[in-house]
Amino acid sequence: MITADKTKYRTHYALSLSEANIGEVVTVAGFVQKRREHGEHLAFIDLRDSTGVIQCVVEGTLDLRSEYVLSITGTVFNRPDGTVNEKLETGEIEIRECTVHVHSKAKTPPFQVESLADTDENLRLKYRYLDIRSSRLQNNLRLRSQINQALREAMYEQGFVEVETPLLWTPTPEGAREFIVPSRLHRSKFYALPQSPQLAKQLLMVGGIDRYFQIARCLRDEDLRADRQFEFSQLDVEASFVDAEDVMRFISYAVEKAHQVAFGDKKLNILSMTWSESIERFGTDKPDLRIPNELTNVTKIFENSHVKALNAESVVSYVVPSSVQLSRSQLDQLVESAKLLGAKGLLWMRVKRSDSEIEKLHLDSPISKVLESDVEANLIEALNLSESETVLLVADKKIKSNKILGQIRTELGKIMLSNISHRDDLKFSWITEFPFFESLDQEGNPIPAHHPFTMPNLDDIHLFASDPLSVRSSAYDLVCNGLELGSGSIRIHDREIQSKVFKAIGLSEESANEKFAFLLDAFSFGAPPHGGFAIGIDRLVQIFAGEESIRDVIAFPKTGNGSDLMCKAPSEVEANTLRDLNIRVVQP
């Protein structure tokens, strides 16, 4: 609760008042949320400030309308019997004998500030300053501030130093498209706005800072989504003389502190699993652990089956709970979805009870007539099936079958969890030991799954030439409810290992020196073993606030096409400015 020193405009915030203030003369200040007439010379004013709403009883004839800015001085009373408003935190009291001072009049707003459910989002963004007056945005932005504070305190407690890194920087090797800033002093040359402080924080480790963090502003010129904006904030961390477990411990503690801000002392349990385990169990490296049931590999059950559709390297199953009854059209849609994802098909089986034998279960599916009875019985037993459940099967190459069925599981999870917000049930997990390479290009060169300074698992370095796709990295992600909150890795600090990585991804020594000369040169002066992490604050606050979009936890977000409807950005620049920057606009 806000408790501020008295000013000439107010003595109290709305929610700081209670029955303990009965009889006191107080002054509150804020916006008129609602005015209700009671006779010719009496009005009830709901005054809203940044903490909440207080009812003021105003006598006389005053022209007070919605969103007028007022200070009201009066005496605190209990509300009369029968008029208590239980929906309001200050619903048992009111301010009477009021003197009103109007600081600012207001036009009729384009929408009601506290009734945003049916308001078009573009209208809200155009008048974002009015949107921010709502309790929803006030609470979200206040929560964001408290989470930032908790994250900072957690890092300070663990011996980290807050260091600000440049916004005008050089291009970084992170794969995303960058925003470019022209230089006036260095004609025809450009800065890049940082995708992250990756290289800068590694240089801080070379500089002996040992443990660094900042609440960093980052920018990426990528298409926007519900969970992505051009500019975003992250808790950026780097530490020397650490391994992956140490970094994950630092971040887990910080997230725990932020969780306490949002949910009190409710215990936060963060599981941990390897990338291979996550793919095996959930078909994704961003598992939503709230969705019932995991994937099960049933390849051995179908080894001797004559069903051609199930003769594959890997057969994976997912059991849809009986609480979700899929219609035939929905099952057909799932089959088509699996094909669009690259599967040869998807086989479904409904678990039913036989008419002739009360205790016996059987599987009703398009292959019922050709499925061997012993295979059917083995599947029912292996999956411990119950009546009214539905089994989904994908047969394909290993990993591919898991990933396809994992996406189907995620889609079904949206149905199962449709009435549950992120905030109601949070399931965190660390995902470790990611593949170092994601695939091979057309020339057979391995494509790195991370930036080229990620340390490979030292046990796998001998596989670089013979089996690069089996090489594991020292990278790790933090996931919550199917969303990636952040990622990190142990970095390469050894020049010999760095050369092997550059060679493996087809980067010559000359090219590497050209792109990363300043970092490699710094490493030549001695670099400690180090690693780090970055956690997306926008997504973290979104989840803790129970919102569906990060736009609702950012003060001034962009629309889906990257524009700002309020200040009309991006906008044209005057010719004189372009000339100073040596820029000429070419019309398409």
Side-chain angles (χ1 to χ4, degrees):
M1 176 54 55
I2 297 177
T3 54
D5 293 333
K6 296 178 181 180
T7 71
K8 69 176 183 178
Y9 297 107
R10 67 154 59 97
T11 61
H12 294 76
Y13 284 93
L15 261 60
S16 69
L17 295 172
S18 66
E19 289 184 293
N21 301 103
I22 298 297
E24 290 184 30
V25 176
V26 300
T27 301
V28 292
F31 302 90
V32 175
Q33 177 160 300
K34 187 183 297 183
R35 172 193 171 127
R36 300 182 303 281
E37 300 288 346
H38 189 76
E40 292 184 8
H41 303 291
L42 189 67
F44 293 91
I45 302 296
D46 288 344
L47 193 74
R48 180 188 67 247
D49 63 21
S50 59
T51 69
V53 176
I54 183 75
Q55 178 173 283
C56 304
V57 184
V58 178
E59 299 181 23
T61 55
L62 291 173
D63 179 20
L64 302 176
R65 299 181 184 179
S66 177
E67 302 308 317
Y68 274 32
V69 183
L70 313 176
S71 284
I72 297 180
T73 301
T75 305
V76 180
F77 285 85
N78 274 122
R79 290 199 187 190
D81 292 341
T83 65
V84 170
N85 185 350
E86 296 181 355
K87 295 180 180 180
L88 205 61
E89 290 188 62
T90 59
E92 294 186 348
I93 59 173
E94 61 187 14
I95 299 175
R96 301 182 208 160
E97 302 172 357
C98 294
T99 300
V100 178
H101 181 82
V102 179
H103 299 295
S104 179
K105 295 183 178 181
K107 296 191 301 184
T108 301
F111 53 81
Q112 291 185 10
V113 168
E114 284 296 341
S115 301
L116 299 176
D118 299 320
T119 304
D120 178 71
E121 185 179 38
N122 283 343
L123 189 62
R124 290 175 54 200
L125 292 176
K126 182 178 180 180
Y127 297 95
R128 187 62 166 182
Y129 42 84
L130 296 179
D131 198 16
I132 289 174
R133 292 182 187 179
S134 69
S135 58
R136 175 184 174 186
L137 268 291
Q138 288 278 325
N139 291 337
N140 287 350
L141 294 177
R142 200 169 299 283
L143 175 63
R144 184 183 182 115
S145 173
Q146 293 166 343
I147 286 174
N148 280 345
Q149 180 182 356
L151 294 173
R152 275 196 168 92
E153 290 175 352
M155 302 319 295
Y156 287 136
E157 288 175 24
Q158 297 177 96
F160 284 76
V161 179
E162 187 170 9
V163 181
E164 296 171 331
T165 53
L167 281 177
L168 295 176
W169 194 238
T170 189
T172 55
E174 299 196 42
R177 188 181 292 110
E178 294 170 312
F179 285 100
I180 301 301
V181 180
S183 170
R184 180 181 57 83
L185 297 178
H186 302 274
R187 297 174 71 81
S188 302
K189 292 188 177 182
F190 300 84
Y191 299 99
L193 298 179
Q195 299 181 45
S196 83
Q198 180 61 45
L199 300 186
K201 64 182 181 178
Q202 289 191 252
L203 292 172
L204 288 172
M205 297 304 101
V206 177
I209 288 296
D210 196 69
R211 292 189 179 187
Y212 139 92
F213 88 96
Q214 72 172 313
I215 305 294
R217 294 293 287 171
C218 306
L219 300 102
R220 296 180 183 178
D221 190 5
E222 296 291 306
D223 293 342
L224 276 64
R225 303 190 304 237
D227 62 351
R228 179 189 290 166
Q229 287 272 303
F230 285 152
E231 49 187 317
F232 56 95
S233 297
Q234 63 187 33
L235 171 65
D236 201 63
V237 174
E238 197 81 8
S240 295
F241 304 107
V242 294
D243 59 17
E245 291 294 330
D246 296 320
V247 178
M248 289 190 287
R249 174 167 46 86
F250 298 147
I251 298 300
S252 295
Y253 181 71
V255 172
E256 175 85 44
K257 295 282 281 188
H259 187 266
Q260 289 174 2
V261 164
F263 301 99
D265 293 329
K266 182 180 176 183
K267 184 65 180 174
L268 180 63
N269 182 32
I270 304 181
L271 305 178
S272 181
M273 67 186 84
T274 65
W275 179 88
S276 295
E277 182 185 356
S278 184
I279 296 296
E280 186 79 17
R281 294 171 59 187
F282 307 104
T284 176
D285 54 19
K286 295 183 280 290
D288 191 335
L289 304 181
R290 300 171 302 166
I291 301 174
N293 299 339
E294 301 178 8
L295 307 185
T296 304
N297 192 296
V298 291
T299 308
K300 289 187 176 181
I301 294 176
F302 294 98
E303 277 182 338
N304 300 316
S305 174
H306 298 298
V307 181
K308 292 183 179 180
L310 297 174
N311 291 334
E313 178 184 330
S314 176
V315 183
V316 181
S317 68
Y318 175 67
V319 179
V320 183
S322 57
S323 59
V324 180
Q325 291 298 301
L326 299 171
S327 66
R328 180 58 187 266
S329 63
Q330 286 177 309
L331 290 168
D332 290 341
Q333 280 185 323
L334 291 179
V335 173
E336 291 305 312
S337 294
K339 290 180 179 178
L340 289 173
L341 293 170
K344 297 173 184 176
L346 177 143
L347 185 62
W348 55 266
M349 300 175 172
R350 286 189 171 119
V351 185
K352 294 189 174 182
R353 194 169 295 281
S354 301
D355 295 332
S356 56
E357 299 181 52
I358 297 176
E359 297 301 323
K360 186 175 181 180
L361 297 176
H362 75 98
L363 300 175
D364 179 30
S365 79
I367 63 166
S368 295
K369 293 180 180 180
V370 295
L371 183 65
E372 297 87 347
S373 59
D374 60 328
V375 174
E376 179 184 54
N378 289 339
L379 187 64
I380 291 172
E381 181 181 2
L383 298 179
N384 192 26
L385 296 175
S386 301
E387 186 178 3
S388 299
E389 291 179 329
T390 303
V391 182
L392 304 179
L393 297 167
V394 171
D396 214 305
K397 292 183 178 180
K398 195 174 182 180
I399 295 184
K400 181 179 179 181
S401 53
N402 284 75
K403 286 187 174 182
I404 291 170
L405 195 53
Q407 291 188 63
I408 298 296
R409 174 183 179 270
T410 299
E411 285 303 310
L412 289 171
K414 293 177 182 178
I415 300 174
M416 301 180 207
L417 305 173
S418 58
N419 295 323
I420 301 175
S421 74
H422 288 300
R423 185 179 171 87
D424 292 332
D425 188 16
L426 302 180
K427 302 286 187 182
F428 287 86
S429 59
W430 282 108
I431 310 298
T432 65
E433 297 185 15
F434 278 78
F436 194 82
F437 301 108
E438 61 183 15
S439 60
L440 301 177
D441 63 20
Q442 293 181 342
E443 285 74 39
N445 295 317
I447 301 172
H450 316 276
H451 63 70
F453 303 105
T454 299
M455 178 72 81
N457 188 306
L458 297 180
D459 294 335
D460 297 344
I461 288 182
H462 68 284
L463 299 172
F464 264 46
S466 60
D467 188 11
L469 297 187
S470 294
V471 177
R472 295 166 295 169
S473 70
S474 298
Y476 33 84
D477 280 5
L478 181 61
V479 175
C480 179
N481 294 0
L483 293 174
E484 177 194 319
L485 285 180
S487 60
S489 68
I490 298 300
R491 325 299 188 189
I492 297 172
H493 67 280
D494 182 277
R495 187 61 184 261
E496 184 178 343
I497 296 175
Q498 187 68 74
S499 296
K500 287 183 178 181
V501 170
F502 284 154
K503 182 178 179 181
I505 64 177
L507 193 64
S508 68
E509 184 174 351
E510 180 183 3
S511 181
N513 284 329
E514 181 182 340
K515 290 184 176 181
F516 312 119
F518 68 97
L519 183 68
L520 297 175
D521 188 47
F523 281 4
S524 70
F525 289 95
H530 60 284
F533 195 81
I535 185 167
I537 291 175
D538 306 297
R539 290 185 185 179
L540 185 67
V541 179
Q542 172 198 337
I543 289 175
F544 283 4
E547 294 287 357
E548 294 298 319
S549 169
I550 61 171
R551 287 194 290 269
D552 289 317
V553 298
I554 297 172
F556 300 103
K558 304 292 187 289
T559 63
N561 67 3
S563 60
D564 188 319
L565 299 178
M566 182 184 65
C567 64
K568 295 181 172 57
S571 57
E572 295 180 352
V573 176
E574 292 181 358
N576 289 341
T577 303
L578 293 176
R579 188 165 51 251
D580 289 343
L581 295 171
N582 198 32
I583 290 177
R584 180 167 58 90
V585 176
V586 179
Q587 296 299 329

